Amino acid sequence: MRIVDIREVSVPLEGNIANAVVSFAEHDVSLVAVESDVIRNGRPVTGYGFDSIGRFAQGGILRARIIPRLRAADPASLLDESGLRFDPGKVYAAAMRNEKPGGHGDRAAAVGALELAIWDLNAKLADVPAHVLIARHFGRAPQSQSADVYAAGGYYYPPGSGRTLRDEFAAYRDMGFTGFKMKIGGASLARDLERIEEALGVAGSGAGLAVDANGRFGLDTALAYAEAIKGYGLRWYEEIGDPLDFDLNRRVAEVYDGPIATGENLFSLADAVNLARYGGMRPGRDIFQMDAGLSYGLTEYARMIDMLEANGFDRRSAHPHGGHLINLHIVVGLELGGCEAYPGVFQPFGGYAPSCALGGGQVRPSDAPGFGLEEKPELRNAIARLAN
Ligand SMILES: [Mg+2]
C-alpha cells in the first residue's frame, strides 16, 4: 500500500466578519487530499484534511517542502506494523525531515492538514467514522454519545447595521445551542459590559456565556476586564493576552476566580508545556484550546493531552479551537470536554454536516467513514477541485 498523490487547494473563507484583532475576509484554508493505491468501487480511497479556520492556507510550504519529502519516502516506511494502515506518526516524522526544532508557525498548520488527511484515509480504509478509529488507536473504547458544543460568534455590529448581538444569539438558541461565546476587546470596557449584559439576556446566566479577547489585552487592560466581569460568573475568559505571554495569563489567574481558556494559538507540544508550567492554569478550572489542525495534526495534539494529564489536568479541560467536523471527531474519539461551532460563518469549513445530530447543546458525528467531510454540502465544490 502506498500514497499515490498528495494535492492541496487553498479555499477562501466566506463571511465578512471581524473579531477584536483581525478580519477574516482575507483568510483561507488548505484542503489536502491524500490518494492511496487502494481502489474501492472503482475509485482510489482518498483521505481529506484541512488546517483550521482563522488563519491562512499553507500551499507554499506543502508544495515546496512537505509533499516532496513524503514523495521521496520509502512507501513501506509510512505504514504501521500491520501494513494495513498508514502510520500518522511516521508520516509526521517524514514531513518534518530536516526541519529544526522551535519556530512553530505556519509549517505546523501545513503538516497538520496533511496529517489529518492520513487519519481520514485510515478511517476510510477501516470503514469506520474517524472518532472510532481515533479511540481505538489510542487504546480507548469508541463512544456513541454526543459532544458538548457551544455557539461561538458574538461579533461587533456597527450601529445602524440592522443586526444586534441579541439577534445573533437568539438565532443560535433557536438552532439548539445553549452555550454562547462573544468577542470582547473591540470596543471600550464600558461598551463591552453593555454587550455582555445584552448577551446574558439570551444566555440566561453567566454559566452559558464565555468571552474571548483574542489575545488583545496588555496586563492592565486584562486585569481591568477581570475585575469588571468577575461578578457575572462567566463560563470562561478566553485568550486574554498574547498567546505566548504566560506571565500575563498567570497574573490574571491569580486574581480572577472564574475559568480562563487559552491555547488556540500554541502550535506545538513544547509551547503547550510552557503554558501548563508557567501560565498559572488551574486544574479542575481552566480550559485548553489547542487545535490539532494548527499544531502538526492529531499525533502532536494527542501528546499535548497526555502532557496535560501528566500535569494534573483532566482531558475534559480540553476544548479544541475551531468548530468543524475534524475537531468533533477528535473530541468524541479522545473524550475531551467539547467543541465549538460558528453557525453560519467560516464556510465552507465551519460547522457540521446535516447528518450530525445537533440540539440541546450537543452534537454527534454521523456514521460516515472518516471525518465525513464529503457529507457537508458547503465542502462539495472544494473537494471536487481536489479530484483528479
Ligand atoms: Mg478564541
Side-chain angles (χ1 to χ4, degrees):
M1 189 169 69
R2 56 186 285 270
I3 293 171
V4 172
D5 198 10
I6 303 172
R7 298 184 291 276
E8 184 267 355
V9 289
S10 299
V11 183
L13 285 182
E14 297 158 18
N16 188 11
I17 49 175
N19 66 18
V21 179
V22 295
S23 163
F24 297 108
E26 295 177 4
H27 284 175
D28 50 12
V29 173
S30 277
L31 180 65
V32 171
V34 177
E35 184 181 310
S36 75
D37 64 348
V38 178
I39 305 295
R40 295 220 184 120
N41 302 318
R43 303 177 63 173
V45 180
T46 300
Y48 297 103
F50 54 83
D51 45 345
S52 195
I53 51 185
R55 298 190 83 92
F56 292 94
Q58 304 300 339
I61 294 175
L62 280 160
R63 272 182 279 280
R65 310 212 298 265
I66 309 297
I67 294 174
R69 286 176 194 145
L70 288 171
R71 290 214 173 103
D74 172 8
S77 74
L78 301 178
L79 302 179
D80 71 6
E81 283 178 6
S82 75
L84 302 173
R85 305 274 178 271
F86 294 93
D87 186 318
K90 291 178 181 172
V91 169
Y92 176 23
M96 290 293 283
R97 186 174 55 77
N98 227 9
E99 296 276 334
K100 294 177 79 170
H104 309 283
D106 282 348
R107 86 175 176 206
V111 174
L114 174 73
E115 197 261 12
L116 290 167
I118 295 290
W119 288 92
D120 187 59
L121 177 54
N122 276 343
K124 287 169 174 166
L125 289 168
D127 199 26
V128 294
H131 72 87
V132 172
L133 179 96
I134 291 167
R136 288 179 184 155
H137 180 94
F138 292 103
R140 309 183 69 81
Q143 302 295 308
S144 56
Q145 75 258 34
S146 311
D148 284 343
V149 64
Y150 65 90
Y155 302 101
Y156 285 89
Y157 297 97
S161 66
R163 219 170 158 230
T164 67
L165 185 58
R166 178 186 291 269
D167 295 338
E168 183 193 331
F169 281 179
Y172 299 160
R173 185 184 55 198
D174 292 345
M175 292 174 195
F177 292 101
T178 57
F180 309 89
K181 183 168 82 186
M182 61 181 283
K183 304 297 179 191
I184 57 171
S188 67
L189 173 55
R191 175 71 191 117
D192 274 339
L193 292 177
E194 289 172 6
R195 294 174 61 254
I196 289 170
E197 303 265 355
E198 183 183 348
L200 286 170
V202 178
S205 76
L209 180 67
V211 295
D212 186 356
N214 289 104
R216 183 187 181 96
F217 295 157
L219 182 61
D220 290 347
T221 310
L223 293 172
Y225 269 75
E227 177 66 22
I229 65 177
K230 68 182 183 189
Y232 292 120
L234 296 176
R235 183 173 183 185
W236 66 64
Y237 180 15
E238 175 169 326
E239 214 183 10
I240 302 165
D242 185 280
L244 293 173
D245 192 342
F246 304 124
D247 192 61
L248 179 150
N249 201 76
R250 179 184 62 78
R251 290 177 69 175
V252 176
E254 283 173 358
V255 297
Y256 182 71
D257 285 340
I260 287 172
T262 191
E264 69 179 75
N265 289 307
L266 302 181
F267 301 156
S268 69
L269 172 63
D271 287 329
V273 166
N274 280 335
L275 174 61
R277 271 189 194 152
Y278 306 118
M281 299 290 276
R282 300 156 295 184
R285 193 176 320 176
D286 294 324
I287 303 296
F288 292 87
Q289 299 175 301
M290 290 79 75
D291 181 344
L294 295 175
S295 45
Y296 298 106
L298 180 52
T299 300
E300 182 90 350
Y301 184 76
R303 290 172 187 160
M304 295 183 195
I305 300 300
D306 287 345
M307 178 277 296
L308 291 178
E309 289 190 319
N311 281 279
F313 295 95
D314 192 285
R315 62 179 51 229
R316 294 204 167 267
S317 69
H319 289 244
H321 157 269
H324 51 66
L325 281 162
I326 293 179
N327 280 347
L328 170 60
H329 281 267
I330 290 174
V331 165
V332 173
L334 295 181
E335 296 176 74
L336 308 179
C339 23
E340 59 183 339
Y342 290 87
V345 299
F346 296 132
Q347 294 305 321
F349 296 95
Y352 306 100
S355 48
C356 298
L358 194 151
Q362 302 267 304
V363 61
R364 186 176 5 206
S366 81
D367 293 330
F371 293 121
L373 301 183
E374 294 89 339
E375 288 192 336
K376 192 165 187 300
E378 298 88 346
L379 273 171
R380 246 168 234 153
N381 281 343
I383 290 174
R385 283 174 60 199
L386 279 171
N388 255 338

